[in-house]
Amino acid sequence: MENKDGHITRNRPPYYILDVGDNKRQYYDSVLDKFIDQFLITPPINNHEESSQDFVNNYSVCLLKYYFFFIDFKDAVKEGNVARLVTLHKELLSHFKALPGFDNYAIKMLISIVQNYEAEAHQCIWASTVNWKRGAVKNIEIDLLKESRNKSLKKSIKSMGPNKTDNAINKSSRASGGEDKIGENFDVQIKRATQSSPHSHRSTAADESIVMADLRVVKPFRRVPNRMHDSFPDILPDPLVTIDHTELDNWLARHKRNLLLDAPLGRDND
């Protein structure tokens, strides 16, 4: 399609069967799988001549890989699937190690991976996400819950006025979670309507139209040798192709020894 009013020339949906049973979902899943297999699940390209590469295509593929990785991470959090999160942490370790200046984050991922084994595994698994609202796929990061509880606790302490003492603060902090839960249960019993968020959400239709128009002009997934963006003249399709696996093995061995010795894990000097 050259424009939004044009006719579909390839991958035309079989409209005559889409409304039958679960055919619509199966069809679009198959098309998306075909796209992912072609553009994302491919071996890293690191031996091509620079003049033959399409850096616009590289940028688009790299952007999609990061997007799907981010969505996968958010889904794992919502589901409370810690085993999947550990796998994603392993992927993040490689990504952080491939980027200069992100060694500290790579070390944090390494610690997170190690903590999910043996003695600390149980604690880390149950301390990663929390489902406070009940229901499937409603987990949130436990850090967000702590921020919410801290906000509630500060409000409670502020309301104490001159009666603010260490003992009162201690009791209030211990009871803050229960107080919120009592309030939520009361709202359920009296069938109080949930307050809507004061934030308004701007429609994305205009932005999507601009993006679609740009995609039709640029055609990022049609390879054109030596094409590039001004801001990203030499981007790679996969940042992991820059990893030196020998250096990575040495890095892992060094920090594994640090963990065994309970030594501080500082930044690398190299």
Side-chain angles (χ1 to χ4, degrees):
M1 296 176 62
E2 296 298 329
N3 55 66
K4 65 179 182 179
D5 298 321
H7 296 287
I8 300 175
T9 57
R10 297 177 60 185
N11 299 317
R12 181 180 178 82
Y15 295 107
Y16 59 93
I17 65 169
L18 291 186
D19 293 331
V20 179
D22 198 32
N23 288 338
K24 180 181 290 187
R25 179 171 182 173
Q26 292 179 6
Y27 170 75
Y28 285 111
D29 283 348
S30 66
V31 172
L32 182 60
D33 288 343
K34 178 182 176 182
F35 177 83
I36 292 175
D37 290 341
Q38 180 177 354
F39 293 104
L40 299 182
I41 306 180
T42 54
I45 303 172
N46 59 357
N47 57 354
H48 282 194
E49 293 292 335
E50 185 171 324
S51 59
S52 66
Q53 290 198 52
D54 182 357
F55 295 102
V56 172
N57 178 270
N58 289 356
Y59 171 78
S60 303
V61 171
C62 190
L63 182 64
L64 281 176
K65 287 182 178 180
Y66 280 126
Y67 170 76
F68 281 112
F69 191 89
F70 176 69
I71 294 299
D72 195 12
F73 201 94
K74 289 182 69 69
D75 286 345
V77 170
K78 288 182 179 180
E79 295 171 1
N81 191 339
V82 182
R84 186 167 153 202
L85 284 174
V86 174
T87 301
L88 293 173
H89 285 173
K90 294 177 182 178
E91 290 285 337
L92 279 173
L93 188 152
S94 300
H95 281 276
F96 287 139
K97 197 68 185 74
L99 298 173
F102 285 84
D103 273 358
N104 277 347
Y105 294 99
I107 292 172
K108 290 182 182 298
M109 291 298 101
L110 177 61
I111 294 174
S112 174
I113 294 166
V114 172
Q115 285 178 333
N116 279 281
Y117 291 95
E118 303 299 336
E120 295 185 65
H122 183 79
Q123 296 178 6
C124 292
I125 286 175
W126 294 108
S128 298
T129 65
V130 63
N131 190 333
W132 188 255
K133 297 291 186 180
R134 298 188 300 273
V137 198
K138 290 187 178 180
N139 288 51
I140 61 172
E141 297 89 341
I142 200 166
D143 292 345
L144 295 180
L145 178 66
K146 289 180 180 178
E147 290 179 8
S148 176
R149 291 292 165 262
N150 288 338
K151 181 179 179 181
S152 177
L153 179 58
K154 290 178 181 178
K155 182 179 179 180
S156 176
I157 294 174
K158 186 177 180 180
S159 65
M160 292 179 185
N163 298 319
K164 190 184 304 177
T165 64
D166 291 341
N167 189 33
I169 293 174
N170 184 38
K171 288 182 178 180
S172 179
S173 63
R174 290 174 180 272
S176 61
E179 290 174 352
D180 290 343
K181 200 64 180 176
I182 290 172
E184 292 174 5
N185 289 337
F186 181 77
D187 291 341
V188 172
Q189 293 296 325
I190 65 174
K191 298 181 180 180
R192 181 186 178 189
T194 304
Q195 293 183 352
S196 61
S197 171
H199 300 287
S200 60
H201 299 280
R202 182 180 176 182
S203 174
T204 61
D207 294 334
E208 291 173 359
S209 297
I210 294 174
V211 171
M212 294 301 295
D214 290 342
L215 288 175
R216 292 188 182 97
V217 173
V218 177
K219 294 182 173 61
F221 300 106
R222 181 180 297 174
R223 297 190 65 85
V224 178
N226 205 28
R227 184 174 56 160
M228 64 184 67
H229 290 297
D230 294 336
S231 301
F232 310 99
D234 56 355
I235 192 169
L236 297 172
D238 189 345
L240 298 184
V241 300
T242 61
I243 288 183
D244 184 341
H245 291 282
T246 301
E247 194 275 334
L248 177 61
D249 290 341
N250 294 334
W251 182 87
L252 289 172
R254 182 167 66 255
H255 287 291
K256 184 171 66 175
R257 289 195 300 269
N258 289 342
L259 285 172
L260 292 174
L261 296 173
D262 198 24
L265 297 177
R267 292 188 61 182
D268 292 338
N269 294 325
D270 52 354

